[in-house]
PDB file of all heavy atoms in Angstrom:
ATOM      1  N   LEU A 305      51.487  41.668  20.163  1.00  0.00           N
ATOM      2  CA  LEU A 305      52.511  40.693  19.995  1.00  0.00           C
ATOM      3  C   LEU A 305      52.938  40.587  18.538  1.00  0.00           C
ATOM      4  O   LEU A 305      54.156  40.492  18.229  1.00  0.00           O
ATOM      5  CB  LEU A 305      52.085  39.360  20.507  1.00  0.00           C
ATOM      6  CG  LEU A 305      53.123  38.257  20.614  1.00  0.00           C
ATOM      7  CD1 LEU A 305      54.240  38.667  21.472  1.00  0.00           C
ATOM      8  CD2 LEU A 305      52.520  36.935  21.113  1.00  0.00           C
ATOM      9  N   ASP A 306      52.013  40.653  17.647  1.00  0.00           N
ATOM     10  CA  ASP A 306      52.287  40.538  16.200  1.00  0.00           C
ATOM     11  C   ASP A 306      53.165  41.734  15.783  1.00  0.00           C
ATOM     12  O   ASP A 306      54.029  41.620  14.891  1.00  0.00           O
ATOM     13  CB  ASP A 306      51.025  40.524  15.382  1.00  0.00           C
ATOM     14  CG  ASP A 306      50.274  39.212  15.499  1.00  0.00           C
ATOM     15  OD1 ASP A 306      50.872  38.231  15.919  1.00  0.00           O
ATOM     16  OD2 ASP A 306      49.071  39.187  15.176  1.00  0.00           O
ATOM     17  N   ALA A 307      52.946  42.932  16.427  1.00  0.00           N
ATOM     18  CA  ALA A 307      53.676  44.122  15.992  1.00  0.00           C
ATOM     19  C   ALA A 307      54.988  44.314  16.752  1.00  0.00           C
ATOM     20  O   ALA A 307      55.801  45.125  16.363  1.00  0.00           O
ATOM     21  CB  ALA A 307      52.808  45.346  16.196  1.00  0.00           C
ATOM     22  N   ALA A 308      55.168  43.558  17.844  1.00  0.00           N
ATOM     23  CA  ALA A 308      56.333  43.783  18.702  1.00  0.00           C
ATOM     24  C   ALA A 308      57.592  43.173  18.114  1.00  0.00           C
ATOM     25  O   ALA A 308      57.560  42.027  17.632  1.00  0.00           O
ATOM     26  CB  ALA A 308      56.076  43.203  20.088  1.00  0.00           C
ATOM     27  N   PRO A 309      58.721  43.890  18.157  1.00  0.00           N
ATOM     28  CA  PRO A 309      60.017  43.328  17.725  1.00  0.00           C
ATOM     29  C   PRO A 309      60.451  42.343  18.789  1.00  0.00           C
ATOM     30  O   PRO A 309      59.978  42.333  19.912  1.00  0.00           O
ATOM     31  CB  PRO A 309      60.911  44.505  17.626  1.00  0.00           C
ATOM     32  CG  PRO A 309      60.377  45.495  18.625  1.00  0.00           C
ATOM     33  CD  PRO A 309      58.862  45.323  18.604  1.00  0.00           C
ATOM     34  N   ASP A 310      61.502  41.537  18.429  1.00  0.00           N
ATOM     35  CA  ASP A 310      62.075  40.638  19.429  1.00  0.00           C
ATOM     36  C   ASP A 310      63.073  41.362  20.293  1.00  0.00           C
ATOM     37  O   ASP A 310      64.257  41.085  20.311  1.00  0.00           O
ATOM     38  CB  ASP A 310      62.730  39.446  18.688  1.00  0.00           C
ATOM     39  CG  ASP A 310      61.764  38.481  18.121  1.00  0.00           C
ATOM     40  OD1 ASP A 310      60.694  38.211  18.783  1.00  0.00           O
ATOM     41  OD2 ASP A 310      61.951  37.999  17.018  1.00  0.00           O
ATOM     42  N   ALA A 311      62.520  42.331  21.048  1.00  0.00           N
ATOM     43  CA  ALA A 311      63.314  43.063  22.008  1.00  0.00           C
ATOM     44  C   ALA A 311      62.599  42.977  23.352  1.00  0.00           C
ATOM     45  O   ALA A 311      61.393  43.109  23.435  1.00  0.00           O
ATOM     46  CB  ALA A 311      63.368  44.540  21.532  1.00  0.00           C
ATOM     47  N   LEU A 312      63.381  42.719  24.363  1.00  0.00           N
ATOM     48  CA  LEU A 312      62.791  42.367  25.694  1.00  0.00           C
ATOM     49  C   LEU A 312      61.882  43.498  26.207  1.00  0.00           C
ATOM     50  O   LEU A 312      60.800  43.253  26.677  1.00  0.00           O
ATOM     51  CB  LEU A 312      63.914  42.142  26.693  1.00  0.00           C
ATOM     52  CG  LEU A 312      63.492  41.558  28.054  1.00  0.00           C
ATOM     53  CD1 LEU A 312      62.686  40.250  27.905  1.00  0.00           C
ATOM     54  CD2 LEU A 312      64.687  41.345  28.975  1.00  0.00           C
ATOM     55  N   HIS A 313      62.340  44.772  26.091  1.00  0.00           N
ATOM     56  CA  HIS A 313      61.503  45.877  26.639  1.00  0.00           C
ATOM     57  C   HIS A 313      60.194  45.979  25.881  1.00  0.00           C
ATOM     58  O   HIS A 313      59.131  46.211  26.475  1.00  0.00           O
ATOM     59  CB  HIS A 313      62.289  47.184  26.441  1.00  0.00           C
ATOM     60  CG  HIS A 313      61.664  48.305  27.166  1.00  0.00           C
ATOM     61  ND1 HIS A 313      60.718  49.127  26.597  1.00  0.00           N
ATOM     62  CD2 HIS A 313      61.845  48.850  28.442  1.00  0.00           C
ATOM     63  CE1 HIS A 313      60.344  50.076  27.429  1.00  0.00           C
ATOM     64  NE2 HIS A 313      61.020  49.886  28.545  1.00  0.00           N
ATOM     65  N   ALA A 314      60.203  45.738  24.554  1.00  0.00           N
ATOM     66  CA  ALA A 314      58.982  45.785  23.771  1.00  0.00           C
ATOM     67  C   ALA A 314      57.987  44.644  24.155  1.00  0.00           C
ATOM     68  O   ALA A 314      56.810  44.850  24.234  1.00  0.00           O
ATOM     69  CB  ALA A 314      59.301  45.731  22.279  1.00  0.00           C
ATOM     70  N   LEU A 315      58.574  43.471  24.358  1.00  0.00           N
ATOM     71  CA  LEU A 315      57.683  42.321  24.701  1.00  0.00           C
ATOM     72  C   LEU A 315      57.106  42.507  26.109  1.00  0.00           C
ATOM     73  O   LEU A 315      55.894  42.215  26.287  1.00  0.00           O
ATOM     74  CB  LEU A 315      58.525  41.045  24.617  1.00  0.00           C
ATOM     75  CG  LEU A 315      59.002  40.662  23.225  1.00  0.00           C
ATOM     76  CD1 LEU A 315      59.988  39.496  23.282  1.00  0.00           C
ATOM     77  CD2 LEU A 315      57.806  40.282  22.335  1.00  0.00           C
ATOM     78  N   VAL A 316      57.912  42.972  27.051  1.00  0.00           N
ATOM     79  CA  VAL A 316      57.381  43.240  28.362  1.00  0.00           C
ATOM     80  C   VAL A 316      56.298  44.356  28.279  1.00  0.00           C
ATOM     81  O   VAL A 316      55.274  44.284  28.988  1.00  0.00           O
ATOM     82  CB  VAL A 316      58.478  43.617  29.352  1.00  0.00           C
ATOM     83  CG1 VAL A 316      57.881  44.062  30.709  1.00  0.00           C
ATOM     84  CG2 VAL A 316      59.447  42.454  29.561  1.00  0.00           C
ATOM     85  N   GLY A 317      56.548  45.342  27.470  1.00  0.00           N
ATOM     86  CA  GLY A 317      55.549  46.396  27.254  1.00  0.00           C
ATOM     87  C   GLY A 317      54.225  45.863  26.710  1.00  0.00           C
ATOM     88  O   GLY A 317      53.153  46.314  27.168  1.00  0.00           O
ATOM     89  N   ALA A 318      54.292  44.889  25.802  1.00  0.00           N
ATOM     90  CA  ALA A 318      53.088  44.329  25.316  1.00  0.00           C
ATOM     91  C   ALA A 318      52.275  43.563  26.385  1.00  0.00           C
ATOM     92  O   ALA A 318      51.048  43.681  26.496  1.00  0.00           O
ATOM     93  CB  ALA A 318      53.399  43.340  24.140  1.00  0.00           C
ATOM     94  N   LEU A 319      53.050  42.876  27.228  1.00  0.00           N
ATOM     95  CA  LEU A 319      52.449  42.125  28.388  1.00  0.00           C
ATOM     96  C   LEU A 319      51.782  43.128  29.287  1.00  0.00           C
ATOM     97  O   LEU A 319      50.578  42.903  29.666  1.00  0.00           O
ATOM     98  CB  LEU A 319      53.510  41.368  29.108  1.00  0.00           C
ATOM     99  CG  LEU A 319      53.111  40.791  30.499  1.00  0.00           C
ATOM    100  CD1 LEU A 319      52.076  39.692  30.330  1.00  0.00           C
ATOM    101  CD2 LEU A 319      54.301  40.278  31.222  1.00  0.00           C
ATOM    102  N   VAL A 320      52.465  44.173  29.717  1.00  0.00           N
ATOM    103  CA  VAL A 320      51.899  45.102  30.694  1.00  0.00           C
ATOM    104  C   VAL A 320      50.683  45.809  30.112  1.00  0.00           C
ATOM    105  O   VAL A 320      49.687  46.035  30.799  1.00  0.00           O
ATOM    106  CB  VAL A 320      52.971  46.096  31.161  1.00  0.00           C
ATOM    107  CG1 VAL A 320      52.367  47.253  31.962  1.00  0.00           C
ATOM    108  CG2 VAL A 320      54.036  45.354  31.983  1.00  0.00           C
TER     109      VAL A 320
END
Side-chain angles (χ1 to χ4, degrees):
L305 187 59
D306 289 341
D310 286 320
L312 189 58
H313 190 274
L315 294 171
V316 173
L319 168 68
V320 169

